[in-house]
Amino acid sequence: MKVYRTLLFDVDDTLLDFGAAERLALRLLFEEQNVVLTNEIEAKYRVMNQLLWRSFEEGKIDRDEVVNTRFSRLFQECGQEVDGTLLEQKYRGYLEEGHQLIDGALALITNLHRTFDLYIVTNGVSKTQYRRLHDSGLLPYFKSIFVSEDTGYQKPMKEYFQFVFDRIPEFDREQTLIIGDSLSADIRGGQLAGLDTCWFNPSMKPTEMEIVPTYQIQKLEELYSILRVERDSAVGI
C-alpha cells in the first residue's frame, strides 16, 4: 500500500449524515407551507434533486438553477405555485441546523489529523457547509475547506481539483487520497485528477464499470488499515 500524507474528505454522507439533515429540513419546510410531506412527495424530491445536482456536476446547469428551481418544481407537482428562491432560503436555514455525524466520523478525524494533512472537498453552498462542519465539531481539524461555490467549479471537474491542488502547500498527487460516497463526483473526479480514491459505500451499492475506486469501505473505521495507522482509544474510537 502507498504512504499517504494528504487526505481529501467529502462532507455529505461521508462525514455528515446529509440524509438525516435533509429529512428534518424538508419536514420543517413543508410544515411551514401547510403541506403534508408524504413518502411519495419526499421520494419525488430526492429523485428530482439528484438529477439536478448530477446535471450541475456535468456542467449542464449552474448551482443557482439547481437550488432556486427545485422547490418551485416540486410544489408545482403538489398543485401549488411558490417562490422557489424564497423557499430555498428557508430550506437552507433549516438544513444548516443539521449536523448529524456519520458513525465514527468525529473520532476518525480527531485521530487522523495528528498524522495527516486533512482537507474538505465538497459541492454545495459555502455558508451551509461551514455552519454544519462547525456545529459538528469537525471544522478545527481541517487545514482548508474547499466548497464548490467558492471555487467557481465543482467535483468532478478537473478545474475544481486543480484549484484545490494549487492551494495545498507542497502538494503531491502520489501521496494524496480522496475519500467520498459519490462515484460520480468523488471517485470519478479523483480519477480524472490523477488521485487514488476511496469509496465510502455503507450500503454496498454496485460499482459502475468505468468508475472503479482504488479502495472501497463500508465503515469509516476501515480507513485505519488502508492508512496503516492505529486507532486511539483516547479519542473514543
Side-chain angles (χ1 to χ4, degrees):
M1 287 187 184
K2 283 187 179 180
V3 175
Y4 298 104
R5 183 184 70 185
T6 302
L7 305 180
L8 309 180
F9 278 91
D10 175 50
V11 174
D12 291 318
D13 292 325
T14 300
L15 297 177
L16 296 182
D17 188 341
F18 182 77
E22 182 183 54
R23 283 190 294 274
L24 176 60
L26 285 173
R27 180 174 62 79
L28 294 173
L29 182 67
F30 271 71
E31 285 179 1
E32 186 179 89
Q33 297 301 309
N34 295 312
V35 177
V36 176
L37 179 61
T38 64
N39 291 336
E40 181 183 4
I41 293 173
E42 185 174 348
K44 188 174 295 185
Y45 168 78
R46 292 183 187 280
V47 171
M48 178 188 300
N49 191 49
Q50 186 176 50
L51 289 173
L52 285 169
W53 280 110
R54 179 62 69 89
S55 294
F56 170 69
E57 291 172 2
E58 294 172 351
K60 296 177 180 177
I61 60 177
D62 61 24
R63 187 192 65 83
D64 286 346
E65 184 172 347
V66 175
V67 299
N68 292 329
T69 68
R70 54 184 175 179
F71 290 114
S72 56
R73 296 183 188 192
L74 180 64
F75 277 84
Q76 191 171 45
E77 295 198 19
C78 299
Q80 287 196 18
E81 294 294 328
V82 300
D83 184 333
T85 301
L86 178 61
L87 258 62
E88 171 63 27
Q89 292 171 356
K90 292 178 179 293
Y91 169 77
R92 187 64 50 189
Y94 294 134
L95 189 64
E96 286 176 8
E97 299 176 11
H99 54 270
Q100 300 91 330
L101 286 152
I102 295 292
D103 187 39
L106 182 57
L108 175 78
I109 296 304
T110 302
N111 196 5
L112 293 183
H113 96 283
R114 299 169 179 174
T115 307
F116 301 92
D117 294 332
L118 307 184
Y119 295 87
I120 288 291
V121 288
T122 177
N123 287 343
V125 177
S126 184
K127 181 173 178 287
T128 302
Q129 298 300 60
Y130 270 91
R131 167 78 182 276
R132 296 172 67 229
L133 287 166
H134 175 272
D135 291 350
S136 69
L138 289 170
L139 188 61
Y141 299 106
F142 291 90
K143 290 184 174 294
S144 287
I145 312 298
F146 298 103
V147 186
S148 60
E149 182 182 36
D150 298 330
T151 68
Y153 307 103
Q154 66 273 355
K155 298 179 296 183
M157 294 173 66
K158 287 184 178 180
E159 294 88 345
Y160 172 86
F161 284 95
Q162 191 59 55
F163 182 99
V164 173
F165 299 164
D166 289 344
R167 287 157 180 80
I168 295 178
E170 300 179 4
F171 177 75
D172 184 347
R173 292 173 201 260
E174 293 299 313
Q175 293 184 316
T176 301
L177 178 69
I178 181 172
I179 302 101
D181 72 294
S182 172
L183 274 178
S184 59
D186 302 311
I187 306 308
R188 179 167 175 266
Q191 289 176 339
L192 291 172
L195 301 178
D196 282 359
T197 60
C198 181
W199 186 26
F200 178 52
N201 184 18
S203 58
M204 296 306 291
K205 293 177 288 189
T207 58
E208 298 178 15
M209 290 292 292
E210 68 278 14
I211 308 176
V212 180
T214 312
Y215 312 100
Q216 182 175 174
I217 59 174
Q218 192 171 6
K219 297 180 180 179
L220 288 177
E221 64 185 25
E222 294 174 52
L223 268 176
Y224 289 109
S225 60
I226 293 172
L227 299 172
R228 294 187 289 181
V229 296
E230 296 289 333
R231 301 190 207 185
D232 187 346
S233 59
V235 294
I237 299 174

